[in-house]
Amino acid sequence: MFTNENYLNDVKENLKLQSDILIESLMRVKPYNFSSEVKLLDFCTFIEPLNYEYSILMLSMDSNNNEVFNEENDDVFAGSETLIEGKYYEVNIKNYDEWEEFYLANADFLEEQIQKLFEEWFLECWNKIGGNEIKLPSYFIFHDEYRSYDLKENKWIDDDIKFDSVN
């Protein structure tokens, strides 16, 4: 029998097992020399609840909420970079029908809790690498959401505020 608590604990443990990969990726980008056109960094998390896959990309953004790309100067970074991708849960095929029934009955609650687990996991890794040493304003976001977690101020903000601060 599936329970919310067991499922969320499994997800949390699966993410923990992947912490070293995320930490290594964050350490790799920490010293980047960013293009002067880059005004902030978005660490964008994509979660696919139907197949339990996720990815986190670092996006370099300008003050108009457009991604900045560097095509001319190898001495500076601009663009996007995949930090990590993987699975956050494995479903036992023998119990798939039971699992699907459980998940559909609890989807709204579980998806909200999954986001919280990803947020906590990312923040733990960010803090371990001293992420605040990155000079640019930096945000943790979920794809297609209207808010961002300000990694310097440690709070959720509306996306409009984020771009107002760099103009």
Side-chain angles (χ1 to χ4, degrees), residues 38-45 57 59-67 136-153 155-167:
V38 176
K39 301 302 179 194
L40 62 87
L41 301 176
D42 275 337
F43 293 92
C44 185
T45 303
L57 277 65
L59 308 171
S60 55
M61 309 297 286
D62 68 12
S63 59
N64 294 315
N65 195 20
N66 296 310
E67 190 172 353
L136 290 169
S138 300
Y139 300 89
F140 174 76
I141 65 172
F142 291 101
H143 184 254
D144 286 341
E145 292 277 333
Y146 63 93
R147 61 192 187 124
S148 299
Y149 189 86
D150 185 329
L151 293 164
K152 308 277 184 183
E153 299 294 325
K155 64 180 180 180
W156 285 100
I157 61 167
D158 187 73
D159 276 347
D160 294 337
I161 295 170
K162 175 172 72 175
F163 293 101
D164 288 347
S165 68
V166 293
N167 281 323

Side-chain angles (χ1 to χ4, degrees), residues 21-136:
I21 298 167
L22 179 55
I23 288 168
E24 182 180 307
S25 294
L26 288 168
M27 286 296 293
R28 186 182 66 248
V29 302
K30 187 177 169 184
Y32 280 5
N33 179 27
F34 291 95
S35 165
S36 61
E37 294 178 44
V38 176
K39 301 302 179 194
L40 62 87
L41 301 176
D42 275 337
F43 293 92
C44 185
T45 303
F46 296 82
I47 299 175
E48 296 295 333
L50 298 178
N51 60 11
Y52 315 102
E53 293 179 344
Y54 75 94
S55 61
I56 300 177
L57 277 65
M58 180 187 70
L59 308 171
S60 55
M61 309 297 286
D62 68 12
S63 59
N64 294 315
N65 195 20
N66 296 310
E67 190 172 353
V68 178
F69 293 98
N70 178 28
E71 298 170 2
E72 300 171 11
N73 187 345
D74 290 337
D75 295 331
V76 296
F77 180 86
S80 64
E81 186 166 325
T82 301
L83 300 180
I84 190 169
E85 54 191 359
K87 285 194 156 289
Y88 63 90
Y89 188 73
E90 291 289 335
V91 178
N92 183 333
I93 297 300
K94 292 187 291 186
N95 298 336
Y96 190 80
D97 290 341
E98 182 183 342
W99 163 254
E100 186 176 45
E101 184 178 325
F102 159 77
Y103 189 86
L104 292 175
N106 297 284
D108 289 341
F109 172 77
L110 292 173
E111 288 176 15
E112 179 182 311
Q113 295 304 306
I114 293 295
Q115 282 193 347
K116 287 181 182 177
L117 290 176
F118 270 91
E119 172 193 346
E120 291 168 2
W121 175 60
F122 185 88
L123 290 174
E124 182 178 313
C125 294
W126 175 263
N127 290 330
K128 281 185 179 177
I129 66 116
N132 282 342
E133 294 170 14
I134 294 175
K135 302 288 188 247
L136 290 169

